[in-house]
Amino acid sequence: MIVARAGSGTDLPGTVESLAPLMSNEEKKEILAVDIVIAVYNERPEALAATLSACLKQTYPISRIFIVDDGSPEPVSLPQWAQSLAQICLLRLPQNLGISAARNAAIVRSNAPLLACINTQVLPDPEWLATCESYLSDHPCVGACYTRLVPQRPNRILTRWRMRFLETRFGEQSGPSPFAPGHAVLFRKEALDLVDGYDARYRRHHEDSDICQRMSRSGWETHYVAESRCVSTQEDTLEQLASKELRESYWYSPAESSLIRLYLHLSKWTCVRAGRNMLKARFYFIPVDLAIWASALWTATIRTLRFSQTSNARATSSSEPSPTTGAQMPSEIPKKL
């Protein structure tokens, strides 16, 4: 349900009046409407404000920006300076459904032929949208494109580790790519509609590779565009990187994943990564390798122990007779978690 929509605002950087510099008198290129989707969950207000500001500074006009609050415990609110902008629609989902469902909630409301999905803590350069739109215009077989991602603080050791081992490698030449990393992607709406949007089963991870693979099977290509970039403002911490390492290992919760398999998987690849770092004299990464390995396994172990204790407590409670009838009530039957 739309719970907030801005009022008037005709002097925005995305208005039609700003199109004149983009077109010459000899060639009036068709201007395609573009909507932007930003899914948020428990995001820092300043992070959302920075991403929203970067979107409004695009040199290419924007029709609407959908901010989708994916059931945050503390409802997301727009920055005060953005509350009067007619372009911005704030959607709130009644419960947390995951990034795929959150994006889909905006996709079905969009009528624009082009649609960009941009994460918070990502700041597209001002010409990002114009560059990607031009690329799609010149490549009619491409259904999605993306650009490089660079960190705002490239010299921090944890950030260097993330960009080296957890993020996509970005080349110097534009061209086909297996999938578009989800930080900032421009889609053709017809390609999204053809595959029915994102698969809601991918709540937190791998939704980007899945949708591009399904688009590929439907005849749409995904390309990397080298001529622009986005800036990542993510404040990397050991806890964040460990959580991402768990997701990369397909470990989401004790109910869904095996702790033993995780121990074997993470230990194997940590040894492989540390060995490569030693061979290439990247000794500064070895303490990070070990710290993230230990933090990820510790997190998974604690969650598994808590899950086991909770399950045992529920099983014990369900086996006790009802104080009124002596029979087990349906509400006391433990759920399959």
Side-chain angles (χ1 to χ4, degrees):
M1 170 172 73
I2 300 180
V3 297
R5 183 165 180 148
S8 62
T10 58
D11 57 345
L12 300 173
T15 56
V16 176
E17 288 78 2
S18 66
L19 299 182
L22 298 178
M23 298 184 294
S24 65
N25 292 330
E26 297 77 19
E27 177 183 357
K28 291 191 175 182
K29 181 180 176 181
E30 180 186 4
I31 301 301
L32 298 177
V34 179
D35 287 345
I36 291 178
V37 177
I38 304 174
V40 295
Y41 178 76
N42 275 1
E43 299 289 350
R44 294 178 294 111
E46 58 271 23
L48 173 59
T51 297
L52 190 54
S53 177
C55 292
L56 291 170
K57 292 176 181 176
Q58 294 298 301
T59 59
Y60 192 93
I62 297 169
S63 296
R64 287 188 295 178
I65 300 178
F66 293 97
I67 309 295
V68 186
D69 181 1
D70 187 21
S72 299
E74 183 69 28
V76 169
S77 59
L78 295 176
Q80 185 173 2
W81 54 263
Q83 293 177 5
S84 62
L85 303 184
Q87 286 172 304
I88 301 175
C89 297
L90 175 61
L91 314 177
R92 288 200 181 112
L93 303 186
Q95 61 184 6
N96 179 248
L97 300 176
I99 191 169
S100 294
R103 288 174 176 168
N104 286 342
I107 290 172
V108 298
R109 288 174 169 83
S110 173
N111 295 318
L114 299 178
L115 190 144
C117 290
I118 300 175
N119 288 346
T120 52
Q121 303 187 71
V122 172
L123 312 180
D125 276 359
E127 82 291 344
W128 178 84
L129 185 53
T131 301
C132 291
E133 187 279 335
S134 178
Y135 192 91
L136 290 185
S137 178
D138 294 338
H139 299 80
C141 62
V142 177
C145 68
Y146 68 101
T147 64
R148 71 176 68 245
L149 181 72
V150 299
Q152 187 178 47
R153 299 179 180 178
N155 295 324
R156 297 187 63 202
I157 186 64
L158 291 180
T159 299
R160 291 174 65 187
W161 191 94
R162 170 172 66 92
M163 297 304 297
R164 180 78 188 184
F165 300 112
L166 295 182
E167 300 291 355
T168 301
R169 301 290 178 86
F170 304 101
E172 300 301 322
Q173 299 294 326
S174 301
S177 177
F179 73 98
H183 60 267
V185 186
L186 181 63
F187 291 98
R188 293 186 195 274
K189 183 64 159 49
E190 60 179 308
L192 286 174
D193 291 341
L194 186 62
V195 298
D196 296 323
Y198 286 90
D199 188 334
R201 293 176 297 178
Y202 293 90
R203 290 174 51 87
R204 289 168 289 181
H205 201 43
H206 301 301
E207 81 291 338
D208 45 12
S209 57
D210 170 75
I211 193 169
C212 291
Q213 289 168 4
R214 289 187 288 116
M215 286 171 55
S216 177
R217 291 193 292 268
S218 298
W220 290 102
E221 296 179 6
T222 297
H223 280 212
Y224 164 68
V225 181
E227 286 74 24
S228 188
R229 68 171 195 170
C230 296
V231 176
S232 169
T233 62
Q234 178 175 316
E235 294 289 342
D236 295 300
T237 65
L238 193 61
E239 181 181 4
Q240 288 176 332
L241 294 180
S243 295
K244 190 164 185 178
E245 187 80 327
L246 289 175
R247 294 195 300 270
E248 289 287 340
S249 302
Y250 295 92
W251 198 93
Y252 302 110
S253 72
E256 300 173 86
S257 312
S258 166
L259 183 63
I260 294 176
R261 190 201 68 83
L262 176 68
Y263 265 80
L264 295 174
H265 175 82
L266 274 186
S267 298
K268 170 188 172 182
W269 287 108
T270 298
C271 289
V272 170
R273 185 180 291 149
R276 290 176 178 173
N277 286 335
M278 286 190 289
L279 287 174
K280 296 186 178 182
R282 296 193 296 248
F283 301 108
Y284 46 85
F285 277 151
I286 295 177
V288 181
D289 290 330
L290 297 176
I292 291 176
W293 170 81
S295 180
L297 291 182
W298 174 258
T299 298
T301 301
I302 292 299
R303 290 180 184 175
T304 301
L305 291 175
R306 289 174 178 170
F307 173 78
S308 178
Q309 292 173 351
T310 301
S311 298
N312 290 338
R314 288 178 177 175
T316 300
S317 175
S318 66
S319 64
E320 295 177 354
S322 168
T324 56
T325 64
Q328 186 182 47
M329 301 296 291
S331 62
E332 296 178 290
I333 300 175
K335 296 180 180 179
K336 294 182 179 179
L337 301 176

